[in-house]
Amino acid sequence: MLQVTLWRLFDLDLHQVASDAYPAHSLPMLSVGTDSPPLSSDVPTPGMASPPDAALWLLDDPQEWSAFSRPNSRAADCWESNVVIEGMHCAACSLTIEDALTRIPGVVSAQVGAASHRAKIIWSANEVKPSVWMQAVRASGYRAVPANDAFASERRKLETRQALWRWLVAGLCMMQVMMYAYPAYVAHPGDLTAEMEQLLRWASWVLTLPVIFFSCGPFFRNALRDIVQLRVSMDLPVALGMVITFAMSTAGTFEPGGVFGHEVYFDSLTMFVFFLLTGRWLELRLRDRTAGALEALMNRLPDSVERLRTDGVYERVAVRRLLVGDAIRVQPGETIAADGVVLRGETLVDEALLTGESRPLPRAVGSQVLSGSHNLSSTVEIRVEQVGEATRFAQIVALMESASATKPQGAMLADRLAKPFLIGVLLAAAGACAWWWGRDPGHALIVAVAVLIVTCPCALSLATPAAMLAAAGAMARTGVMVRRLQALEVLASVDTLVFDKTGTLTRDAMVLGLVQVRPGCVPAEALAMAAALARHSLHPVSRTLAAAHRDAGASQVWNCEAVTEHAGQGVAGVATSIQSGGAEESRTFRLGSAIFCDVEQVATSGAVVHLSDEAGWLASFELKEDIREQAAEAVASLQQLGVAVSILSGDRSDSVARIAGLAGITQARGGCTPDDKLTYIRGLQAQGRQVAMVGDGLNDGPVLAGANVSFAFGQGAPLAHAKADFVILGEQLMSVVQAVALSRRTLRIVRQNLWWALLYNAACVPLAVAGLLPAWLAGLGMASSSLLVVLNALRLARPEKSKKEP
Amino acid sequence: MDILYLLIPLSVVLVFFILGGLWWAIHRGQFEDIEAEGERILKDS
């Protein structure tokens, strides 16, 4: 019931809606329901009786628009909305929509992705309401649907169904028309009686009707829209071609003596319509898969969850109604809808899209789970700790959405070229028609049709964005988020990579280095004593010592009941041990800084922690930073790709040199201030180098911004604040290498695509003008050329075995 | 050969019948989620 009302929301004719007359009453929550389970009973149901033209106003409720919008940092009261645009076919469309949107006062900016069919609109809540700009999109002949809505996916399902149906109608009718055309091709003169031929034409005509009036519907609708708005787009030449062929063949059927001659082209017509629809259909499917990783991630959250009511019964509620503190139940195979802690049960989760970790991870009671991860093995109960925009998942989605709506430079160029190109095509077709008209009007028209159909600006405008999106999708699967698609182009040409901090090459945890002890004491014994105290503290140093003792496999000789922790200094406590004779020995230990332990400060290269007892100094433990597992491997692979690697760090020079040595980096500089780093990068850029920077993305913003392209490790840091072009979600350094390699492949594929599109058009248009290309072949060529571009781009989504770059 | 005058119009009608069948199949959702029906038998609930 609810859904039926919602359906109307976008079907109604908005021209009736006076933009300045908002109703005094505001309709309640637009709850996006799922099919079967009833929503929680406290959801007010918008009545069926509500007038249909009130529906868009629903979105003017801040609670509604916040479902697909988030506050923009640019100014107070500015919102950034993400919507899916329906009815778009090519790059020219995105320009039109952008134009229409930016013309509205209050809309700060609008960006429409030609390949992703998503738009990002920044608007000021003081001056404009969502219904106003949605109406503007509608008025320009398209339809905007809030993204991230179950509603949008429902809509998409219906669209696919309709597309499949159109395609099947065209296919079946084409086959039958082909049967009727066959006798005319093989018959010798005199074999076919005149009545029989006329009957076959009649039958062909009848079966062409559904193809023209139903299957070609979208082409005609789009073309008509273009004519009304005085612009050109992809569908205009195609629709023109269809109309001409159909009119000509109809005239040939019913008036064989007329000016168009008695030839009929029903077989060609149905065939190229079928080819075009096949192309569109496959393109639609492929685009879904190309943008698939992005789309899959964005639409990953379930619509509803099972929430535990106070009376102990589970009820289905919409995800948006979840509150912090709720307990929810997640079945195996379901996606976890909110960040939280496991309350009951034990399971495996898949966090691949969130952290790049491809292995299933065990989650027991008390451990954290992330929203957007898949519950794999068994049912768990989760206490919700963060919902909606606050979750890490929402931050990632926000990143991806803003990236997929930005346009790479190449695509912008293609957009601008599309219009003059199409006008050129129309002129060429008219010219060819005029040229052949004198000899044979029928032939002249069929030549013009071939010209109209064969050109494919689609391939041109899809070349760049399709490849970029596929690359972004492939990167997302390895745990790298692309924030700006343009950055992919830059990354491909990078020849110098600078690690901004030793922290990017090292792990957060430390390892135990050299141990110095008082004469007469064994290092292992000293470690056992230290570990006894350290076990009670959560300080990183303590954890390192406890872990080192555990890893050494030593038995727990010393036992400590309680310690007093002095913040920033150390821990102190009494430890006891059972001696071999059964006697008990108790000693008071202090573990911590030199002052805390009352020992002399000694100059060492790393962090040092001391242990003392009643008699004074007992041992010193040196702690070193631990290098990431794949650091050396990653550096070597980067060098193999022809990228020079160096480190710039604010740490002390000797520890930087140690890390550099372990990772195999020759160029290392320690003790740098942020200004030093920036100067160093500027120096490299002055030498004509393209510099990529890897940092933690938090306090090195200016340095990252100074580099041509930047990476940030998103671990721990709030993703929205990471100021980098690429955000690495996991811990793997190899992601950087993969990103560089992938970006190079992407650029190669973009070039291939552009070349193909140019060559195809350059070769086929003259052939068609010369009358050497039959209409059906033109349709096949056009459909396959844009398919080829998308297919080529799709190669990026396939993981490639670590192939060496030339 | 006179039978062709009947068979050809009949074939046109037949095409429309087949199209009707396809329409029914598509709009009943027969081609969506092809795996789900097979897997349904394995599910508990």
Side-chain angles (χ1 to χ4, degrees):
Chain A
M1 273 240 317
L2 182 59
Q3 272 181 332
V4 179
T5 339
L6 297 180
W7 269 116
R8 289 222 194 118
L9 211 147
F10 294 91
D11 276 324
L12 52 114
D13 193 322
L14 290 173
H15 296 283
Q16 308 164 354
V17 181
S19 57
D20 50 352
Y22 298 109
H25 72 281
S26 155
L27 282 167
M29 274 290 261
L30 166 72
S31 296
V32 178
T34 48
D35 300 330
S36 40
L39 291 171
S40 113
S41 54
D42 55 348
V43 183
T45 313
M48 286 292 286
S50 63
D53 55 356
L56 258 204
W57 293 325
L58 278 174
L59 295 172
D60 290 346
D61 182 353
Q63 245 193 327
E64 289 315 323
W65 81 53
S66 62
F68 60 98
S69 316
R70 71 185 66 83
N72 187 265
S73 49
R74 214 179 286 187
D77 256 344
C78 256
W79 289 75
E80 182 187 313
S81 295
N82 283 286
V83 292
V84 174
I85 305 281
E86 288 172 356
M88 265 181 73
H89 286 291
C90 64
C93 298
S94 63
L95 284 186
T96 317
I97 300 168
E98 281 173 16
D99 268 0
L101 280 169
T102 41
R103 236 180 278 137
I104 298 172
V107 173
V108 182
S109 81
Q111 268 194 316
V112 182
S116 59
H117 289 200
R118 276 174 180 269
K120 188 170 85 179
I121 296 136
I122 298 175
W123 50 282
S124 159
N126 285 336
E127 298 172 52
V128 74
K129 293 269 181 282
S131 65
V132 178
W133 52 257
M134 284 206 168
Q135 191 186 343
V137 174
R138 179 68 190 231
S140 61
Y142 305 88
R143 193 172 289 168
V145 177
N148 280 345
D149 232 324
F151 188 57
S153 67
E154 190 68 13
R155 178 103 217 161
R156 205 165 29 235
K157 192 166 111 190
L158 213 76
E159 214 178 48
T160 351
R161 231 180 234 190
Q162 194 70 3
L164 181 68
W165 172 228
R166 284 184 207 285
W167 176 75
L168 274 174
V169 168
L172 200 71
C173 290
M174 174 205 69
M175 290 193 278
Q176 198 54 33
V177 168
M178 214 58 82
M179 296 283 199
Y180 299 144
Y182 182 70
Y185 284 109
V186 295
H188 296 290
D191 276 4
L192 267 178
T193 60
E195 296 98 58
M196 184 56 77
E197 198 169 354
Q198 196 60 21
L199 182 64
L200 287 173
R201 286 179 175 200
W202 261 94
S204 308
W205 182 79
V206 170
L207 286 189
T208 311
L209 287 179
V211 177
I212 279 287
F213 288 105
F214 176 69
S215 295
C216 300
F219 295 108
F220 291 140
R221 246 197 316 280
N222 294 338
L224 207 64
R225 179 184 69 202
D226 293 342
I227 292 169
V228 168
Q229 311 209 342
L230 296 176
R231 26 163 238 245
V232 275
S233 79
M234 252 330 286
D235 290 324
L236 186 60
V238 170
L240 212 57
M242 290 169 187
V243 170
I244 294 174
T245 325
F246 183 67
M248 236 171 84
S249 308
T250 309
T253 308
F254 297 102
E255 206 189 322
V259 63
F260 299 122
H262 67 286
E263 285 293 324
V264 293
Y265 298 94
F266 294 120
D267 50 339
S268 296
L269 177 64
T270 45
M271 197 143 134
F272 78 60
V273 169
F274 177 69
F275 285 146
L276 284 181
L277 284 174
T278 311
R280 281 275 161 93
W281 167 247
L282 287 175
E283 207 182 295
L284 194 82
R285 298 295 297 263
L286 288 180
R287 199 194 60 220
D288 281 355
R289 267 181 57 194
T290 314
L294 303 175
E295 202 86 350
L297 186 71
M298 290 176 195
N299 299 327
R300 196 163 189 187
L301 285 196
D303 307 316
S304 61
V305 286
E306 286 180 292
R307 179 169 68 180
L308 188 66
R309 270 204 320 234
T310 39
D311 57 2
V313 181
Y314 288 100
E315 57 170 356
R316 277 262 163 202
V317 297
V319 167
R320 272 159 63 196
R321 313 207 132 254
L322 272 188
L323 296 173
V324 172
D326 283 351
I328 55 170
R329 182 166 70 177
V330 185
Q331 308 275 6
E334 278 187 338
T335 304
I336 297 165
D339 287 358
V341 173
V342 178
L343 283 181
R344 202 179 303 160
E346 197 172 317
T347 188
L348 291 172
V349 295
D350 170 17
E351 292 184 352
L353 277 172
L354 297 156
T355 60
E357 171 63 64
S358 50
R359 283 170 301 179
L361 304 167
R363 289 286 180 268
V365 172
S367 53
Q368 286 275 342
V369 287
L370 293 173
S371 103
S373 55
H374 268 305
N375 181 14
L376 293 176
S377 60
S378 59
T379 306
V380 283
E381 201 179 296
I382 290 164
R383 192 180 64 237
V384 176
E385 299 218 308
Q386 248 158 6
V387 289
E389 300 298 305
T391 57
R392 190 175 169 80
F393 172 78
Q395 292 169 0
I396 293 173
V397 168
L399 272 188
M400 298 193 109
E401 275 183 341
S402 65
S404 68
T406 58
K407 266 187 217 162
Q409 303 260 295
M412 293 216 225
L413 185 72
D415 284 6
R416 277 200 301 279
L417 286 180
K419 195 169 179 178
F421 181 83
L422 283 166
I423 293 175
V425 167
L426 290 177
L427 288 178
C433 182
W435 169 260
W436 292 95
W437 190 269
R439 268 167 259 187
D440 177 2
H443 184 60
L445 281 176
I446 212 71
V447 167
V449 166
V451 176
L452 289 175
I453 288 164
V454 81
T455 53
C456 186
C458 255
L460 209 59
S461 64
L462 276 176
T464 316
M468 295 280 173
L469 274 184
M475 281 195 184
R477 273 195 292 273
T478 58
V480 182
M481 296 287 139
V482 186
R483 294 200 62 186
R484 284 192 313 132
L485 283 182
Q486 286 100 318
L488 272 171
E489 286 173 53
V490 187
L491 185 61
S493 59
V494 154
D495 54 10
T496 310
L497 193 128
V498 182
F499 286 101
D500 175 48
K501 271 191 167 31
T502 41
T504 52
L505 283 171
T506 54
R507 264 196 298 231
D508 295 334
M510 289 176 280
V511 286
L512 183 63
L514 197 64
V515 182
Q516 288 172 316
V517 287
R518 184 165 70 187
C521 185
V522 193
E525 200 180 324
L527 182 61
M529 297 170 184
L533 269 76
R535 266 194 291 278
H536 295 272
S537 160
L538 285 175
H539 192 273
V541 170
S542 306
R543 282 200 292 201
T544 310
L545 285 175
H549 179 246
R550 197 171 52 240
D551 291 346
S555 56
Q556 196 175 320
V557 185
W558 288 90
N559 234 324
C560 182
E561 289 304 321
V563 293
T564 43
E565 191 153 1
H566 302 264
Q569 300 177 64
V571 288
V574 180
T576 50
S577 83
I578 315 288
Q579 298 296 314
S580 47
E584 217 172 76
E585 188 189 357
S586 280
R587 282 157 82 179
T588 311
F589 292 111
R590 289 165 88 81
L591 177 71
S593 68
I595 303 157
F596 182 68
C597 298
D598 199 21
V599 294
E600 263 176 56
Q601 190 100 36
V602 272
T604 45
S605 57
V608 176
V609 61
H610 304 277
L611 178 73
S612 67
D613 62 1
E614 298 93 338
W617 180 73
L618 207 147
S620 292
F621 304 95
E622 192 192 1
L623 296 162
K624 287 180 185 165
E625 284 185 303
D626 189 14
I627 191 155
R628 279 184 205 266
E629 279 167 31
Q630 304 160 310
E633 192 192 338
V635 169
S637 319
L638 279 170
Q639 282 160 346
Q640 242 167 27
L641 289 174
V643 178
V645 184
S646 51
I647 303 184
L648 287 182
S649 176
D651 288 359
R652 277 196 310 269
S653 295
D654 46 357
S655 72
V656 173
R658 194 183 71 85
I659 297 290
L662 283 175
I665 299 171
T666 43
Q667 287 240 318
R669 277 177 51 169
C672 294
T673 65
D675 280 342
D676 288 344
K677 293 178 184 174
L678 207 54
T679 329
Y680 182 80
I681 293 172
R682 296 262 156 81
L684 283 173
Q685 285 169 333
Q687 292 168 30
R689 283 167 167 274
Q690 299 278 319
V691 184
M693 197 87 201
V694 185
D696 66 5
L698 274 187
N699 34 26
D700 41 12
V703 191
L704 288 185
N708 298 66
V709 59
S710 51
F711 287 88
F713 275 89
Q715 203 73 7
L719 288 170
H721 300 157
K723 301 220 176 0
D725 301 321
F726 297 91
V727 179
I728 299 167
L729 295 174
E731 292 238 339
Q732 271 120 25
L733 263 180
M734 280 311 275
S735 304
V736 178
V737 185
Q738 283 158 359
V740 173
L742 189 68
S743 73
R744 292 190 179 177
R745 274 170 63 206
T746 309
L747 212 68
R748 212 161 50 222
I749 281 179
V750 166
R751 276 202 209 102
Q752 285 168 2
N753 276 352
L754 283 175
W755 272 114
W756 161 252
L758 281 175
L759 281 178
Y760 167 80
N761 283 307
C764 287
V765 175
L767 276 179
V769 170
L772 296 172
L773 214 58
W776 64 268
L777 192 59
L780 182 63
M782 193 271 204
S784 50
S785 95
S786 54
L787 265 187
L788 197 84
V789 165
V790 177
L791 274 176
N792 195 20
L794 206 65
R795 290 199 296 143
L796 285 170
R798 221 177 38 198
E800 195 179 32
K801 275 181 248 119
S802 58
K803 202 183 100 187
K804 300 288 174 285
E805 290 287 323
Chain B
M1 292 291 269
D2 282 349
I3 191 68
L4 278 179
Y5 291 101
L6 176 66
L7 286 182
I8 289 173
L10 253 184
S11 70
V12 173
V13 173
L14 196 62
V15 167
F16 283 110
F17 270 108
I18 296 172
L19 280 176
L22 280 172
W23 184 88
W24 175 86
I26 288 176
H27 291 267
R28 280 280 306 271
Q30 299 280 328
F31 299 112
E32 285 151 34
D33 216 357
I34 293 172
E35 280 95 36
E37 286 305 300
E39 283 168 7
R40 205 162 50 109
I41 197 170
L42 300 173
K43 288 198 179 136
D44 291 338
S45 52

